[in-house]
Amino acid sequence: MAGANRRLIGWGVAAVLVAGIYALPTRSTDEMAARKYPNRIPVRFWHMWSAEWKAVVDKIVDRYNKSQDKYEVIALSVPGSAADTKFLLGSIGGSPPDVMAQWNPVIPTWAQEGVITPFDDLMSPQEKATFDHDAYPVVKAVGAYKGKIYGIAIGINLMEIYYLPQQFRDAGLDPDQFPTTLEGLVADGQKLDRRDANGHLTHLGFLPGSYQQMTPYFGGGFYDPSRDKLTLDTQQNLEALSFLAAERKRLGFDEVTRFQAGLNTQSAAGGWPFITGAYSAVVDGQWRVEQLAKYAPKLVYRTAPIPAPVGGVAGSGYGNGNFMVIPRSAKEKAGAWDFVKFWSGITHPERAAEFYTMGGWLPLSDKVANAPIYQAYIKKYPQFKTFVDAVRSPKIQVAPPVPYQVFVNDQVQKAEDFALRGTLTPQAALAGLQSAVDEEVKRRKEMGLDE
């Protein structure tokens, strides 16, 4: 109990410290005035989507409100930079949302602190059995903590290969025989690299994914669910980091940095460098398929699974995504759960399939994926099928479900940066990762945070 009391005190202090920056959210008169169904039970829904994505969310909310006559979901778009703080302050201050859509790594911490409700407490036995049977392994893993489900996924994100077949042909390669090993893809990438007369990169043949994304293909990863244990400084993780470091050394760290400095690598529109041919093959997410259809409809490209190295784990990968959480202090949990079921497709998956197509999201289950409307979406965007096939794999990993998940993620990124820059050897970078996390675990235990 001492640890629990310290945690509650900690949240209270945090609320006091930031209360002057963010006012506690309240049930505003504007919100109530905007209601279309004032005689129904209100369900307050917060999310972080904006612009064209907000229009999609509003459409789904409208469909839910028209589908029944008991609840009215009232949607509020919250700025992403303040969303987590606003959620915590609302939960502590007595004015939380009833349900929130999230994509930040919050579940382990919020579940540990008792801020969010396990869906196990809200599901009927039949709903729990349906979810356990139907949901893909990665869907269940994304929302899990300590054997309970705290988040219901409404769209998984995966990374696979996008490539330009004409550039392969121009380099004397057969795009119809895409490499089946990572070594083969790297060899092809070297043939596709281009440099100017001064030796500066002008084009990259193949750009691998991040350390977190690539490690599972080497048989590694940062968490072992069978033992509920972090796995950081391991031989498989070392092999993955050594591969990435060797590739960056071959290309030249400064050269890659210079080359990418003129590119808008985060563009969600027509500025994505793959569209302009800056990369022949690149690792990216399924959301690019719909973006390419919108901003580069004439571009001829293909997608393919990321190949594992020789002796590695094919069909592996790293996943995250969008998921729903319900605050422990929510006023209307029953209505919130009803809305989550509606959107996710735990019930009526064929109806929910349309919602996944609205956002170009990967489905919760085969029942959603096999629905006629979702199959029509795949037919319209055939390159999307690579991701739909991949999401079924039981080998996809997620971020370690520990309450200091953000810290672990940051330290993994730091180890990757050190190794790719050549500041540390991969061995030293992993040793530093292990040491930093060990110290954080020790500190948290001393403070009574992880009892």
Side-chain angles (χ1 to χ4, degrees), residues 1-9 448 451:
M1 285 298 295
N5 289 336
R6 279 194 293 272
R7 287 196 292 273
L8 291 173
I9 292 170
E451 295 180 341

Side-chain angles (χ1 to χ4, degrees), residues 10-88:
W11 288 122
V13 171
V16 171
L17 288 175
V18 297
I21 302 175
Y22 300 107
L24 287 174
T26 61
R27 299 180 187 273
S28 69
T29 55
D30 288 343
E31 177 186 276
M32 293 305 165
R35 292 188 59 183
K36 295 181 180 179
Y37 309 97
N39 294 324
R40 298 187 190 178
I41 300 171
V43 177
R44 301 171 72 215
F45 168 49
W46 291 0
H47 63 85
M48 298 182 289
W49 283 290
S50 58
E52 60 187 280
W53 295 102
K54 180 180 180 298
V56 171
V57 173
D58 287 343
K59 186 179 295 186
I60 296 171
V61 169
D62 184 59
R63 289 282 295 276
Y64 172 75
N65 287 337
K66 290 178 177 177
S67 73
Q68 44 75 52
D69 58 10
K70 182 175 182 179
Y71 302 108
E72 180 186 11
V73 169
I74 305 165
L76 175 67
S77 178
V78 182
S81 60
D84 293 357
T85 300
K86 187 177 178 71
F87 177 91
L88 291 173

Side-chain angles (χ1 to χ4, degrees), residues 9 26 29-30 105 115 122 127 150 163 175-176 186 210 229 237 241 249 262 282 293 310 320 330 352 367 395 416 424:
I9 292 170
T26 61
T29 55
D30 288 343
V115 179
L122 304 175
E127 289 166 348
Y150 288 89
Y163 70 101
D176 297 325
V186 167
S210 70
K229 183 177 178 63
N237 290 354
L241 189 56
K249 182 178 181 180
V282 66
V310 175
N320 56 24
K367 287 183 178 178
K395 302 174 186 176
E416 179 181 4
L424 294 175

Side-chain angles (χ1 to χ4, degrees), residues 328-393:
R328 180 79 68 173
S329 55
K331 304 294 192 299
E332 187 46 58
K333 294 178 184 177
W337 170 228
D338 196 62
F339 177 55
V340 172
K341 287 188 292 183
F342 177 85
W343 185 334
S344 66
I346 292 175
T347 55
H348 302 294
E350 289 198 356
R351 176 182 61 189
E354 183 180 1
F355 310 147
Y356 287 88
T357 67
M358 290 177 182
W361 294 311
L362 289 171
L364 174 132
S365 67
D366 273 344
K367 287 183 178 178
V368 175
N370 293 333
I373 195 167
Y374 203 88
Q375 286 297 304
Y377 183 83
I378 295 173
K379 186 175 182 180
K380 182 179 180 180
Y381 303 111
Q383 300 303 337
F384 199 78
K385 187 175 186 297
T386 297
F387 298 89
V388 178
D389 290 343
V391 76
R392 298 180 170 97
S393 174

